[in-house]
Each structure stands twice: as structure tokens, then as C-alpha cells.
Amino acid sequence: MEIDALEIFLSVATLGNFSRAAKSRNVAVSSVTRKIDLLEQDIGTALFYRSPRQVHLTDAGLQFVSAAKKILAEIDDVRDAIVSMQTEPQGVLTVTAPATFGRRHVAPAVAKFLLRYPQMQVDLHVSDDMVDLVNQRVDVAIRIGVLDDSDLLATKLAPQRRVAVASPAYLARAGRPTSPIDLLTHNCLSHGTHGARGTRAGWWQFAGVNDGKALDVNGNLRTDDSESLLKAVLAGVGIAHLATWLVGDEIAAGRLVMLFDNELREPPVSASGIHAMRMPGRGVRKATLFINDLREQFAVDDGGVPYWDRPFSR
């Protein structure tokens, strides 16, 4: 029974279509079909009900999903055990990270990791797309926000803190709000599109204000890209509530002003955080090595303060 056939089987089971599975693995549809045919012959039963547009798991296929995941996890464990016998960590580590955080903080950390462990190889994918760790064979995924329930193992790398910021030019023109409630009368730039307000976990939420719920702010810009928000705030368009890992350098340089100092003195108002996610049993040694290295590089101290928050939390 081929490892590749098991991986293709799980792709088809998740995506429900041979063509989508082939595209996700960058192979021909005929190759996927042939692998599934051979796998069904090996097992001696059909794993899918097939139709022209979609396939569905049979009862046997449903049972085989968990078996295939277990087999692949055990193979990974054996590989890790072999690697662990080496004096120097080596092998390929696949990592995904959100686009902006990935470029600003994960990519530099990966470079230092590779200098420390030159026998390691890292495939780094920087994108805001939600990646399926099982079907895309990802070892570590960096995720920001409130975690959903899943079978993935999560290591918290740092809290996610947001601060209200504006440029000196905007404050000179519109005045400086003295409390979060004053934001209701300011031009507040938010995350979201198609009429959505910036009400994700932590956005426009302030300790002791509005019963902890997000303020119903208004503004003339909404975007799904944090970098675009940052550029608009720097240009003086309005106020934004942005992550400290994004605006720390701008505040330190005086290009942005943090409006409410107590945002960093108070505990985070939501459970939003920065996490490293991995599959149980997959690439344990490599993934753990990288995750521990990230925690060391992010310099999260006993108080949970990463390096990008240090200048503003004293």
C-alpha cells in the first residue's frame, strides 16, 4: 500500500472531487483515479460512490479515513525517530503563516532558525488562506485569532494585542480622542469588506467600555488587508485598531500615536492569540524544535510579553 495513495485518498475524501484533489497535489486527474483504483483493489472494496461531478465516501471509506490518518502519522513517527538518531536536526519542515505577520515576524525567524540548524530545510508558505494541515501535509501553521475546536495541537506563542493609533496629522486635524467612547465621532478604519464592521475578536474592544463588546464605529475605509489599513492610517486618513506586532515600529518612530496607554497595561480583552498549530504524530521532533525556537526568538517572557510589545509595556 503506497503512502502516496493514502495521501491522495485523504485529499479526495476531504475535497469530494477527483479534479480538486488532483489540483491540490499538482498531478493529473488520471493519476488520482489510478491511485484510488489500485487502493480499492488492495483493500478489496469500494471506498467512494462516484458520480460525474462529485464522489462520496462509502461506509468502508468512512472507516478507512481514520485508518489512513493513523498509518501516515505512524510513518511520520518512524521518520522522526530515524532523524532523532542524527546529531544534527535535519529534514524538510513545511510552515504556513498569515501574510502580514508571516513577512514581518515569521520569515526573519525562519532565517535565524536555518542559520542555527543548517541541515534543516523549510518550505514557508505566506498566505491568508486557511490551510488544511492534513491534506496539504503541513507541519506547523501559525494562526492568529480565537482558535476553533479541532484535533490540532496548539502552542500559544504570544497574546494578540491591539491598540488604537492615528497619525499626528490626523490628530492635528480632527483632535485627539480622550477615551474609547470618543471614537464613535471619529473616522475609524476597519477590517472587513462588503459592509462588514471591524468586530472580530479584539477589534474595537476596550476594557471597561461598552460591556466589553466592540464599539459600533464608522469610517470611510474597510479592507481585509492589515497592511492597507496601516498605510491609510499613516497617510492621516483616520484611526485604526491594529495589532502591536504591526504598529510597534511606527509608534517608536513617532509616525503613529498610541491613543490610549492603558490598552497595554490591561489584560487582553479577548482570547485572541498567536498560536503554532501542528498535527498529532506528524513531524513531532521537527515541529517542536521550530515552535520552541519561535518562542525563544519572539522572547515571550514569564509575563507573556513578546519583543514587539516590550517598548510599550513598561
Side-chain angles (χ1 to χ4, degrees):
M1 190 177 298
E2 295 183 13
I3 296 174
D4 191 46
L6 296 177
E7 293 174 340
I8 287 175
F9 164 74
L10 289 177
S11 293
V12 175
T14 300
L15 298 173
N17 182 283
F18 281 18
S19 297
R20 287 195 291 268
K23 184 177 180 180
S24 72
R25 300 183 62 81
N26 197 29
V27 297
V29 176
S30 60
S31 176
V32 171
T33 303
R34 184 169 59 255
K35 292 285 186 182
I36 296 299
D37 288 343
L38 292 173
L39 186 60
E40 289 178 330
Q41 291 175 22
D42 284 344
I43 296 173
T45 187
L47 297 173
F48 295 102
Y49 297 113
R50 309 187 190 192
S51 65
R53 293 188 176 182
Q54 196 167 21
V55 295
H56 301 278
L57 287 164
T58 63
D59 289 343
L62 285 169
Q63 293 182 15
F64 193 63
V65 166
S66 59
K69 290 179 179 178
K70 183 178 180 181
I71 291 168
L72 291 174
E74 289 177 347
I75 291 171
D76 278 332
D77 284 343
V78 171
R79 286 173 174 163
D80 277 350
I82 294 172
V83 170
S84 67
M85 296 169 61
Q86 308 296 325
T87 57
E88 181 75 14
Q90 58 183 279
V92 179
L93 183 76
T94 303
V95 179
T96 69
T100 303
F101 186 81
R103 286 191 293 266
R104 287 176 174 253
H105 299 284
V106 178
V110 166
K112 292 178 181 177
F113 175 79
L114 291 173
L115 289 174
R116 181 177 295 183
Y117 303 106
Q119 298 302 312
M120 290 292 298
Q121 301 174 46
V122 174
D123 287 345
L124 175 61
H125 303 271
V126 176
S127 169
D128 287 327
D129 293 338
M130 185 61 71
V131 174
D132 186 318
L133 273 69
V134 176
N135 289 296
Q136 298 192 33
R137 306 293 290 166
V138 172
D139 296 300
V140 178
I142 308 302
R143 291 185 177 167
I144 300 177
V146 179
L147 296 180
D148 296 326
D149 290 335
S150 74
D151 294 330
L152 301 177
L153 299 179
T155 299
K156 189 170 184 179
L157 300 175
Q160 166 86 328
R161 290 181 176 272
R162 298 189 178 280
V163 290
V165 292
S167 71
Y170 174 85
L171 297 177
R173 184 178 75 249
R176 178 169 179 163
T178 58
S179 73
I181 290 297
D182 293 341
L183 295 174
L184 297 174
T185 61
H186 279 265
N187 191 36
C188 293
L189 318 180
S190 293
H191 193 281
T193 54
H194 304 297
R197 299 283 175 83
T199 55
R200 293 184 178 185
W203 288 84
W204 304 111
Q205 291 177 263
F206 302 89
V209 177
N210 198 32
D211 295 325
K213 296 180 291 186
L215 290 174
D216 191 19
V217 298
N218 290 284
N220 60 3
L221 174 66
R222 289 185 297 273
T223 175
D224 59 359
D225 179 59
S226 296
E227 289 277 9
S228 297
L229 277 181
L230 176 60
K231 292 183 184 302
V233 177
L234 286 168
V237 176
I239 297 171
H241 200 214
L242 295 173
T244 53
W245 55 259
L246 178 62
V247 298
D249 289 344
E250 308 295 345
I251 295 171
R255 291 185 290 269
L256 290 180
V257 176
M258 185 169 63
L259 301 181
F260 313 117
D261 292 342
N262 66 328
E263 280 201 86
L264 285 178
R265 292 197 299 268
E266 299 286 344
V269 295
S270 79
S272 181
I274 301 167
H275 297 85
M277 315 293 294
R278 68 175 181 85
M279 285 289 297
R282 171 177 297 165
V284 175
R285 182 172 185 260
K286 294 181 297 182
T288 302
L289 184 71
F290 178 69
I291 291 169
N292 289 340
D293 193 77
L294 277 185
R295 284 186 56 83
E296 181 180 334
Q297 290 200 50
F298 289 172
V300 178
D301 63 12
D302 291 339
V305 180
Y307 68 80
W308 51 79
D309 282 353
R310 297 286 173 81
F312 315 107
S313 59
R314 293 178 182 138

